[in-house]
Amino acid sequence: MRKYNLNENFFDELNEKSAYWLGFLYADGSVRMKNGRSGELRLKLKETDKGHIQKFLVDLGSNTPLKCGISKTDNSKFCYVLINSNHIVKKLFELGCVQNKTFKIRLPQLNVEIMSHFIRGYFDGDGSITKIKNRPNSFVVTICSNKNFINDLFEYFNFGKIYIEKNYSLLRITKIGEIKKFKNFIYNKNKDCLHRKFNVFAQIIADYVRDYSKTNNKKTYELTNPNGNVIISYHLKSFCEENNLTYSTMSNLSRGIGKTNKGWRCKLIKK
């Protein structure tokens, strides 16, 4: 008989909630078979995210007590929950969330709908979005993991840039058009998320057009989008980065080389 309530079948079928928490555990969870026979699931977060652990317990249908403490290394406050379940741990192992997972995890093979929930969970655990000060509508999205997981993620989205460090790798997204795509993929009226990160995404202005009229670049470009709308730009490279266009191709178009880039046309109207 269990001491605390628990829906041990929570991860048996992946849906919006279970896929989200699977992704989150990939990032911030710890699972093991203690002594080879006793399954343990541990989720530890900083104290300010205590409410997220409580939400996890609600979704698991568990009244397992949450404990808090202070780190001996840096005096930071944290909270954690420890759940004992052979069934859940074995299921997580099957789903790729394995023991000593840091350098072992790979992006799982999931359908698009389930993958969006999984990546939202992983991003909430090991991702960040930062608004760049003094630069309107400029943000940086960063996701951290091992080299193979980041390569898998890059191949899945086909955008962003990979940065390889000694013990980890990063996928960094800086182009506003790509950040919007990432945002739209992971958020779709979903309630399961860390709201402090979602609130930063919410600051993105969907139809923002940057004013380059004060730039030292004296060239003026007339750009026509696929819908026939004309936009004047004074800084072609930045405009291309913000709209996910290839700068070299658009530059060629402005000089009469080629016809279009993703339906866009470009003409140099002032040197």
Side-chain angles (χ1 to χ4, degrees):
M1 183 176 179
R2 296 196 60 84
K3 184 176 181 180
Y4 301 110
N5 297 333
L6 177 67
N7 174 12
E8 291 197 274
N9 300 316
F10 182 75
F11 290 103
D12 286 3
E13 180 180 348
L14 290 183
N15 51 43
E16 178 180 335
K17 288 187 177 295
S18 59
Y20 171 82
W21 287 115
L22 175 64
F24 198 91
L25 292 174
Y26 258 63
D28 275 345
S30 173
V31 289
R32 68 169 180 165
M33 291 298 293
K34 185 178 180 181
N35 300 321
R37 62 178 183 272
S38 179
E40 287 186 354
L41 163 60
R42 181 186 180 95
L43 180 58
K44 177 182 175 182
L45 301 175
K46 57 185 180 181
E47 188 185 47
T48 52
D49 287 333
K50 174 182 177 180
H52 212 54
I53 301 179
Q54 292 172 327
K55 180 171 177 51
F56 177 57
L57 291 172
V58 169
D59 288 345
L60 281 178
S62 179
N63 59 347
T64 303
L66 185 154
K67 299 179 181 180
C68 296
I70 299 177
S71 172
K72 294 180 180 180
T73 56
D74 59 7
N75 291 321
S76 61
K77 296 180 180 180
F78 63 86
C79 292
Y80 73 94
V81 65
L82 183 64
I83 293 174
N84 296 294
S85 171
N86 286 352
H87 183 79
I88 283 183
V89 169
K90 287 179 181 178
K91 190 62 184 179
L92 288 172
F93 283 178
E94 291 176 11
L95 292 168
C97 189
V98 296
Q99 189 166 324
N100 301 320
K101 61 181 174 55
T102 303
F103 299 104
K104 299 177 182 177
I105 56 173
R106 300 290 299 264
L107 188 68
Q109 299 295 316
L110 305 171
N111 66 51
V112 174
E113 181 180 358
I114 295 300
M115 184 67 88
S116 69
H117 304 313
F118 173 87
I119 293 178
R120 186 173 69 259
Y122 189 89
F123 175 78
D124 277 353
D126 266 342
S128 67
I129 176 169
T130 305
K131 189 178 188 304
I132 301 176
K133 294 181 179 180
N134 303 320
R135 287 188 62 186
N137 217 41
S138 295
F139 301 81
V140 176
V141 168
T142 304
I143 304 171
C144 177
S145 191
N146 65 60
K147 181 179 178 180
N148 288 330
F149 189 95
I150 291 299
N151 285 338
D152 292 343
L153 206 58
F154 176 77
E155 290 179 5
Y156 187 83
F157 284 112
N158 196 29
F159 57 65
K161 291 184 179 180
I162 294 176
Y163 296 83
I164 301 175
E165 304 294 340
K166 183 177 180 180
N167 295 317
Y168 62 91
S169 292
L170 301 171
L171 178 65
R172 186 166 292 159
I173 310 169
T174 57
K175 296 181 180 180
I176 193 64
E178 295 175 352
I179 291 175
K180 289 176 184 177
K181 287 182 180 179
F182 181 76
K183 172 194 173 186
N184 292 336
F185 180 78
I186 64 173
Y187 299 113
N188 185 18
K189 299 180 180 179
N190 297 300
K191 297 179 180 179
D192 294 310
C193 68
L194 271 176
H195 291 287
R196 60 181 172 83
K197 295 185 180 183
F198 173 80
N199 290 339
V200 181
F201 275 108
Q203 296 177 46
I204 295 174
I205 304 172
D207 56 354
Y208 181 84
V209 177
R210 184 163 291 148
D211 180 10
Y212 294 108
S213 60
K214 297 180 180 180
T215 184
N216 291 326
N217 188 335
K218 297 180 180 180
K219 293 181 180 180
T220 304
Y221 299 89
E222 179 184 283
L223 300 112
T224 306
N225 68 18
N227 296 321
N229 299 319
V230 175
I231 300 170
I232 301 300
S233 174
Y234 302 93
H235 199 294
L236 183 60
K237 185 174 182 179
S238 296
F239 183 89
C240 291
E241 290 177 351
E242 293 170 3
N243 291 275
N244 198 28
L245 298 171
T246 304
Y247 170 67
S248 59
T249 303
M250 294 297 284
S251 180
N252 285 338
L253 292 178
S254 73
R255 291 181 282 120
I257 304 172
K259 294 183 179 180
T260 64
N261 178 20
K262 298 180 181 179
W264 286 76
R265 297 192 301 275
C266 180
K267 182 169 63 174
L268 179 63
I269 58 176
K270 180 182 177 182
K271 294 185 178 181

